[in-house]
Amino acid sequence: MARRPRTAEDNLKSGPQRLVALVRSSVPPVHPAGMPFISAGLAVAALGRKNRWVRRAGLAAAAANAGFFRHPPRTPPTRAGVVVAPADGLICLVEEAEPPVELGLPAGPVPRVSIFLSLLDAHVQRTPVGGEVLDVQYRPGSFHSADLAAASEDNERNSVLIRTPEGQDVVVVQIAGLIARRIVCDVRAGDKVAIGDTYGLIRFGSRLDTYLPAGSQILVEPGQRALAGETVLAQLP
C-alpha cells in the first residue's frame, strides 16, 4: 500500500516544530519592561561563567525576573456589561469608597474591588472594560504594604478613568507597594482600549483598585483569586 506524502501538519505533530509549539504554549512570553532585568542576570552569568556561584546567581536572577515579568495570554469574556480583573492576585477588599480625588469625579462612595499582587503573581495590568480613556492621573505617595486598607489613600498611585461605549465610568488604580518603586502605564487620555488589553505593570509587588458605577453587581468576595483579563469582578448596572 502506497504511503501518503507527509504534510506540514504531520511535521508539526512529530518534528522540531512540535517541540517549539509546545514550548511556546507552556512558557508565557515576557513583557518588554522585563528584558533589561533578564539581560542583566544573563550578563552576570556570562561574565562570571568561570565561577559557578556567580554563574548560578546570574541565571537565578534572570529566571526570577522572567517569571515576574511573564505576560501570559488571556481570553476575556464576550458577554456585555462585565468588568474583569485588571490584575492577577488575591481579592483583599470589597467595599464602598471615594474614587481618587485627582480625577475630579462626583463626590460620594462607589463600589471598589481591591486586588493584592504578591511577588509570585504576574504583574502586567489589563483594562477591566473596553471604551475610551478619559483621564490618566499620577500621584506620588508613600510605599506602605499594598495589602493595607490605607494604601489606597497614602501610597503612590496611577489612576485611569475609562468610559464604556454605554457611558459607564470605571476607574482602575495602580498602587505601589512596600517593594514596588516603579509604576508603568502605557495609555493616555483619548486612547481606545478593549476589555483585557494590557496597559501597564508595577515593579515589584503592588495592588490594583477598581472603582465601579453605583448599582454594579459585585460577583467576587475577599479571599478569592483573580486572573487578569478573565475573572469577572462585576456586572455593570
Side-chain angles (χ1 to χ4, degrees):
M1 180 182 297
R3 293 184 178 180
R4 67 177 179 85
R6 290 182 64 85
T7 65
E9 184 178 354
D10 292 329
N11 291 331
L12 182 61
K13 291 179 179 178
S14 60
Q17 294 93 335
R18 174 169 173 76
L19 179 59
V20 173
L22 286 173
V23 171
R24 286 179 175 174
S25 64
S26 302
V27 179
V30 174
H31 192 279
M35 295 310 297
F37 296 89
I38 298 170
S39 299
L42 294 176
V44 169
L47 292 173
R49 60 186 179 277
K50 295 182 179 180
N51 184 310
R52 67 174 181 173
W53 298 110
V54 174
R55 184 176 67 250
R56 288 177 180 178
L59 292 174
N65 279 292
F68 181 88
F69 288 102
R70 66 191 183 276
H71 189 189
R74 297 288 164 77
T75 304
T78 56
R79 69 181 189 272
V82 298
V83 180
V84 298
D88 289 10
L90 183 72
I91 295 171
C92 58
L93 289 172
V94 176
E95 58 187 355
E96 293 212 343
E98 296 276 349
V101 295
E102 58 267 27
L103 290 175
L105 296 172
V110 294
R112 180 177 73 186
V113 178
S114 300
I115 299 175
F116 174 71
L117 292 77
S118 75
L119 285 173
L120 300 179
D121 289 308
H123 273 61
V124 294
Q125 277 93 58
R126 300 173 187 266
T127 51
V129 293
E132 181 180 359
V133 177
L134 296 186
D135 198 5
V136 179
Q137 293 291 334
Y138 167 79
R139 196 200 73 170
S142 304
F143 295 96
H144 301 309
S145 179
D147 60 345
L148 299 177
S152 294
E153 293 296 330
D154 299 339
N155 284 21
E156 176 180 310
R157 69 191 185 204
N158 188 77
S159 304
V160 178
L161 171 61
I162 303 172
R163 178 165 292 169
T164 70
E166 295 74 31
Q168 301 277 19
D169 289 344
V170 175
V171 175
V172 59
V173 184
Q174 299 165 290
I175 301 173
L178 186 64
I179 304 174
R181 289 294 188 272
R182 180 76 169 94
I183 293 175
V184 177
C185 179
D186 297 324
V187 295
R188 300 291 180 268
D191 288 351
K192 299 294 178 62
V193 295
I195 186 171
D197 279 355
T198 299
Y199 81 95
L201 58 83
I202 311 177
R203 308 191 299 243
F204 292 86
S206 50
R207 171 170 159 180
L208 267 288
D209 285 351
T210 305
Y211 293 82
L212 306 163
S216 297
Q217 180 186 5
I218 306 296
L219 301 175
V220 293
E221 56 187 25
Q224 182 177 336
R225 295 287 304 177
L227 285 180
E230 291 189 352
T231 299
V232 176
L233 298 184
Q235 181 77 41
L236 294 174

